[in-house]
Amino acid sequence: MKYLIVCALFSVTLAAPQQSNTEPVPILRQEQEVNVDGSYKWSYETANGITAEEQGFLKNAGQPEEEAQVAQGQYQYTDPDGQLIQLSYIADENGFQPQGDHIPTPPPIPAAIQRALEVLATLPASNDEQLTR
């Protein structure tokens, strides 16, 4: 019975509304522009150092098979450890492509595997590959 009471009190404590210790952050600057051709741009800056901007347009407009929405921009903020995080990106027919010093990168390919890949690339195409070409 005591266990049930303790569990009930614990559940009530977890379900209680959490009070926020943060104050609203003022927006120092906000701009947005949408053009009739579908191009746009927006940007903003907040008092706590967050900035962001993006611009976009429709690539190959009027060519349904080749149309692609393109967006490129950047944002920056300071993380809880005090490090400035800066990220720039482009998103187009090739997908979302972010760049930033904080983004993890894969380790280098070991030399033996790289050599094996180079050898494989020099081999003639197999029958299966020739049928799909």
Side-chain angles (χ1 to χ4, degrees):
M1 182 68 167
K2 290 180 185 178
Y3 178 75
L4 185 59
I5 293 172
V6 169
C7 287
L9 288 173
F10 183 71
S11 298
V12 168
T13 303
L14 287 178
Q18 303 296 314
Q19 292 194 6
S20 174
N21 294 335
T22 61
E23 294 291 322
V25 177
I27 296 173
L28 302 177
R29 179 182 55 82
Q30 180 176 5
E31 300 171 8
Q32 45 197 357
E33 177 183 321
V34 178
N35 301 307
V36 294
D37 65 355
S39 63
Y40 68 91
K41 64 181 177 179
W42 57 258
S43 64
Y44 66 85
E45 179 180 1
T46 63
N48 62 355
I50 297 172
T51 63
E53 62 183 47
E54 181 178 289
Q55 57 190 9
F57 64 95
L58 185 60
K59 185 176 184 179
N60 299 320
Q63 302 172 26
E65 296 297 320
E66 297 178 20
E67 281 185 349
Q69 181 68 41
V70 177
Q72 63 183 44
Q74 66 85 27
Y75 61 86
Q76 69 180 31
Y77 63 93
T78 303
D79 75 6
D81 296 328
Q83 178 183 1
L84 180 64
I85 303 295
Q86 294 179 305
L87 184 121
S88 61
Y89 60 89
I90 185 165
D92 58 15
E93 66 272 16
N94 298 313
F96 181 71
Q97 304 157 55
Q99 294 181 342
D101 292 339
H102 66 289
I103 297 176
T105 57
I109 298 173
I113 292 175
Q114 183 62 46
R115 282 192 303 278
L117 291 172
E118 290 167 358
V119 167
L120 288 172
T122 64
L123 296 177
S126 69
N127 287 340
D128 292 340
E129 289 176 357
Q130 290 175 353
L131 292 175
T132 60
R133 290 184 182 180

PDB file of all heavy atoms in Angstrom, residues 1-18:
ATOM      1  N   MET A   1       0.820  -1.185   0.000  1.00  0.00           N
ATOM      2  CA  MET A   1       0.000   0.000   0.000  1.00  0.00           C
ATOM      3  C   MET A   1       0.873   1.261   0.000  1.00  0.00           C
ATOM      4  O   MET A   1       0.568   2.213  -0.706  1.00  0.00           O
ATOM      5  CB  MET A   1      -0.924  -0.055   1.217  1.00  0.00           C
ATOM      6  CG  MET A   1      -1.868   1.095   1.308  1.00  0.00           C
ATOM      7  SD  MET A   1      -3.048   0.987  -0.029  1.00  0.00           S
ATOM      8  CE  MET A   1      -4.225   2.153   0.484  1.00  0.00           C
ATOM      9  N   LYS A   2       1.935   1.242   0.841  1.00  0.00           N
ATOM     10  CA  LYS A   2       2.837   2.395   0.883  1.00  0.00           C
ATOM     11  C   LYS A   2       3.472   2.618  -0.501  1.00  0.00           C
ATOM     12  O   LYS A   2       3.641   3.751  -0.924  1.00  0.00           O
ATOM     13  CB  LYS A   2       3.930   2.193   1.932  1.00  0.00           C
ATOM     14  CG  LYS A   2       3.437   2.262   3.340  1.00  0.00           C
ATOM     15  CD  LYS A   2       4.589   2.063   4.310  1.00  0.00           C
ATOM     16  CE  LYS A   2       4.081   1.998   5.727  1.00  0.00           C
ATOM     17  NZ  LYS A   2       5.143   1.771   6.679  1.00  0.00           N
ATOM     18  N   TYR A   3       3.804   1.529  -1.169  1.00  0.00           N
ATOM     19  CA  TYR A   3       4.399   1.628  -2.502  1.00  0.00           C
ATOM     20  C   TYR A   3       3.430   2.313  -3.468  1.00  0.00           C
ATOM     21  O   TYR A   3       3.831   3.162  -4.260  1.00  0.00           O
ATOM     22  CB  TYR A   3       4.775   0.222  -2.999  1.00  0.00           C
ATOM     23  CG  TYR A   3       5.341   0.211  -4.385  1.00  0.00           C
ATOM     24  CD1 TYR A   3       6.637   0.650  -4.620  1.00  0.00           C
ATOM     25  CD2 TYR A   3       4.594  -0.229  -5.460  1.00  0.00           C
ATOM     26  CE1 TYR A   3       7.168   0.658  -5.897  1.00  0.00           C
ATOM     27  CE2 TYR A   3       5.115  -0.230  -6.741  1.00  0.00           C
ATOM     28  CZ  TYR A   3       6.402   0.214  -6.950  1.00  0.00           C
ATOM     29  OH  TYR A   3       6.931   0.209  -8.218  1.00  0.00           O
ATOM     30  N   LEU A   4       2.172   1.965  -3.382  1.00  0.00           N
ATOM     31  CA  LEU A   4       1.159   2.554  -4.248  1.00  0.00           C
ATOM     32  C   LEU A   4       1.026   4.056  -3.985  1.00  0.00           C
ATOM     33  O   LEU A   4       0.918   4.853  -4.922  1.00  0.00           O
ATOM     34  CB  LEU A   4      -0.184   1.840  -4.042  1.00  0.00           C
ATOM     35  CG  LEU A   4      -1.320   2.245  -4.957  1.00  0.00           C
ATOM     36  CD1 LEU A   4      -0.944   2.019  -6.408  1.00  0.00           C
ATOM     37  CD2 LEU A   4      -2.579   1.485  -4.618  1.00  0.00           C
ATOM     38  N   ILE A   5       1.058   4.451  -2.732  1.00  0.00           N
ATOM     39  CA  ILE A   5       0.952   5.877  -2.382  1.00  0.00           C
ATOM     40  C   ILE A   5       2.171   6.641  -2.889  1.00  0.00           C
ATOM     41  O   ILE A   5       2.046   7.725  -3.454  1.00  0.00           O
ATOM     42  CB  ILE A   5       0.769   6.048  -0.858  1.00  0.00           C
ATOM     43  CG1 ILE A   5      -0.594   5.498  -0.434  1.00  0.00           C
ATOM     44  CG2 ILE A   5       0.914   7.516  -0.450  1.00  0.00           C
ATOM     45  CD1 ILE A   5      -0.806   5.432   1.055  1.00  0.00           C
ATOM     46  N   VAL A   6       3.361   6.067  -2.711  1.00  0.00           N
ATOM     47  CA  VAL A   6       4.586   6.715  -3.180  1.00  0.00           C
ATOM     48  C   VAL A   6       4.546   6.869  -4.704  1.00  0.00           C
ATOM     49  O   VAL A   6       4.882   7.924  -5.238  1.00  0.00           O
ATOM     50  CB  VAL A   6       5.834   5.921  -2.727  1.00  0.00           C
ATOM     51  CG1 VAL A   6       7.082   6.425  -3.420  1.00  0.00           C
ATOM     52  CG2 VAL A   6       5.991   6.002  -1.221  1.00  0.00           C
ATOM     53  N   CYS A   7       4.107   5.823  -5.411  1.00  0.00           N
ATOM     54  CA  CYS A   7       3.994   5.904  -6.877  1.00  0.00           C
ATOM     55  C   CYS A   7       2.990   6.968  -7.293  1.00  0.00           C
ATOM     56  O   CYS A   7       3.220   7.713  -8.246  1.00  0.00           O
ATOM     57  CB  CYS A   7       3.591   4.549  -7.449  1.00  0.00           C
ATOM     58  SG  CYS A   7       4.931   3.349  -7.418  1.00  0.00           S
ATOM     59  N   ALA A   8       1.879   7.063  -6.595  1.00  0.00           N
ATOM     60  CA  ALA A   8       0.863   8.063  -6.925  1.00  0.00           C
ATOM     61  C   ALA A   8       1.409   9.474  -6.713  1.00  0.00           C
ATOM     62  O   ALA A   8       1.198  10.365  -7.545  1.00  0.00           O
ATOM     63  CB  ALA A   8      -0.390   7.837  -6.085  1.00  0.00           C
ATOM     64  N   LEU A   9       2.115   9.702  -5.601  1.00  0.00           N
ATOM     65  CA  LEU A   9       2.693  11.018  -5.334  1.00  0.00           C
ATOM     66  C   LEU A   9       3.755  11.362  -6.372  1.00  0.00           C
ATOM     67  O   LEU A   9       3.844  12.505  -6.831  1.00  0.00           O
ATOM     68  CB  LEU A   9       3.287  11.074  -3.931  1.00  0.00           C
ATOM     69  CG  LEU A   9       2.272  11.095  -2.774  1.00  0.00           C
ATOM     70  CD1 LEU A   9       2.993  10.984  -1.435  1.00  0.00           C
ATOM     71  CD2 LEU A   9       1.423  12.345  -2.831  1.00  0.00           C
ATOM     72  N   PHE A  10       4.537  10.376  -6.737  1.00  0.00           N
ATOM     73  CA  PHE A  10       5.560  10.600  -7.754  1.00  0.00           C
ATOM     74  C   PHE A  10       4.923  10.977  -9.092  1.00  0.00           C
ATOM     75  O   PHE A  10       5.373  11.886  -9.776  1.00  0.00           O
ATOM     76  CB  PHE A  10       6.425   9.340  -7.896  1.00  0.00           C
ATOM     77  CG  PHE A  10       7.556   9.485  -8.869  1.00  0.00           C
ATOM     78  CD1 PHE A  10       8.643  10.291  -8.565  1.00  0.00           C
ATOM     79  CD2 PHE A  10       7.533   8.825 -10.080  1.00  0.00           C
ATOM     80  CE1 PHE A  10       9.693  10.438  -9.466  1.00  0.00           C
ATOM     81  CE2 PHE A  10       8.565   8.957 -10.986  1.00  0.00           C
ATOM     82  CZ  PHE A  10       9.651   9.773 -10.675  1.00  0.00           C
ATOM     83  N   SER A  11       3.842  10.280  -9.467  1.00  0.00           N
ATOM     84  CA  SER A  11       3.142  10.579 -10.717  1.00  0.00           C
ATOM     85  C   SER A  11       2.552  11.985 -10.704  1.00  0.00           C
ATOM     86  O   SER A  11       2.605  12.696 -11.703  1.00  0.00           O
ATOM     87  CB  SER A  11       2.027   9.563 -10.954  1.00  0.00           C
ATOM     88  OG  SER A  11       2.571   8.278 -11.087  1.00  0.00           O
ATOM     89  N   VAL A  12       1.986  12.393  -9.569  1.00  0.00           N
ATOM     90  CA  VAL A  12       1.413  13.737  -9.466  1.00  0.00           C
ATOM     91  C   VAL A  12       2.512  14.786  -9.600  1.00  0.00           C
ATOM     92  O   VAL A  12       2.342  15.807 -10.261  1.00  0.00           O
ATOM     93  CB  VAL A  12       0.643  13.892  -8.135  1.00  0.00           C
ATOM     94  CG1 VAL A  12       0.287  15.345  -7.863  1.00  0.00           C
ATOM     95  CG2 VAL A  12      -0.603  13.028  -8.139  1.00  0.00           C
ATOM     96  N   THR A  13       3.663  14.514  -9.013  1.00  0.00           N
ATOM     97  CA  THR A  13       4.783  15.443  -9.098  1.00  0.00           C
ATOM     98  C   THR A  13       5.244  15.598 -10.544  1.00  0.00           C
ATOM     99  O   THR A  13       5.503  16.709 -11.011  1.00  0.00           O
ATOM    100  CB  THR A  13       5.955  14.950  -8.227  1.00  0.00           C
ATOM    101  OG1 THR A  13       5.508  14.799  -6.890  1.00  0.00           O
ATOM    102  CG2 THR A  13       7.122  15.910  -8.265  1.00  0.00           C
ATOM    103  N   LEU A  14       5.338  14.498 -11.261  1.00  0.00           N
ATOM    104  CA  LEU A  14       5.761  14.565 -12.658  1.00  0.00           C
ATOM    105  C   LEU A  14       4.728  15.262 -13.544  1.00  0.00           C
ATOM    106  O   LEU A  14       5.076  15.946 -14.493  1.00  0.00           O
ATOM    107  CB  LEU A  14       6.023  13.159 -13.210  1.00  0.00           C
ATOM    108  CG  LEU A  14       7.279  12.470 -12.709  1.00  0.00           C
ATOM    109  CD1 LEU A  14       7.370  11.069 -13.312  1.00  0.00           C
ATOM    110  CD2 LEU A  14       8.515  13.266 -13.065  1.00  0.00           C
ATOM    111  N   ALA A  15       3.448  15.085 -13.218  1.00  0.00           N
ATOM    112  CA  ALA A  15       2.387  15.667 -14.042  1.00  0.00           C
ATOM    113  C   ALA A  15       2.145  17.140 -13.735  1.00  0.00           C
ATOM    114  O   ALA A  15       1.484  17.827 -14.501  1.00  0.00           O
ATOM    115  CB  ALA A  15       1.092  14.883 -13.843  1.00  0.00           C
ATOM    116  N   ALA A  16       2.687  17.641 -12.642  1.00  0.00           N
ATOM    117  CA  ALA A  16       2.475  19.046 -12.279  1.00  0.00           C
ATOM    118  C   ALA A  16       3.112  19.953 -13.322  1.00  0.00           C
ATOM    119  O   ALA A  16       4.154  19.637 -13.884  1.00  0.00           O
ATOM    120  CB  ALA A  16       3.085  19.325 -10.906  1.00  0.00           C
ATOM    121  N   PRO A  17       2.471  21.079 -13.617  1.00  0.00           N
ATOM    122  CA  PRO A  17       3.053  21.998 -14.600  1.00  0.00           C
ATOM    123  C   PRO A  17       4.428  22.481 -14.149  1.00  0.00           C
ATOM    124  O   PRO A  17       4.620  22.813 -12.982  1.00  0.00           O
ATOM    125  CB  PRO A  17       2.067  23.155 -14.667  1.00  0.00           C
ATOM    126  CG  PRO A  17       0.924  22.808 -13.789  1.00  0.00           C
ATOM    127  CD  PRO A  17       1.245  21.563 -13.053  1.00  0.00           C
ATOM    128  N   GLN A  18       5.354  22.485 -15.074  1.00  0.00           N
ATOM    129  CA  GLN A  18       6.706  22.943 -14.790  1.00  0.00           C
ATOM    130  C   GLN A  18       6.771  24.446 -14.991  1.00  0.00           C
ATOM    131  O   GLN A  18       6.268  24.962 -15.978  1.00  0.00           O
ATOM    132  CB  GLN A  18       7.706  22.237 -15.706  1.00  0.00           C
ATOM    133  CG  GLN A  18       7.667  20.733 -15.604  1.00  0.00           C
ATOM    134  CD  GLN A  18       8.066  20.222 -14.242  1.00  0.00           C
ATOM    135  OE1 GLN A  18       9.052  20.674 -13.686  1.00  0.00           O
ATOM    136  NE2 GLN A  18       7.298  19.308 -13.696  1.00  0.00           N
TER     137      GLN A  18
END
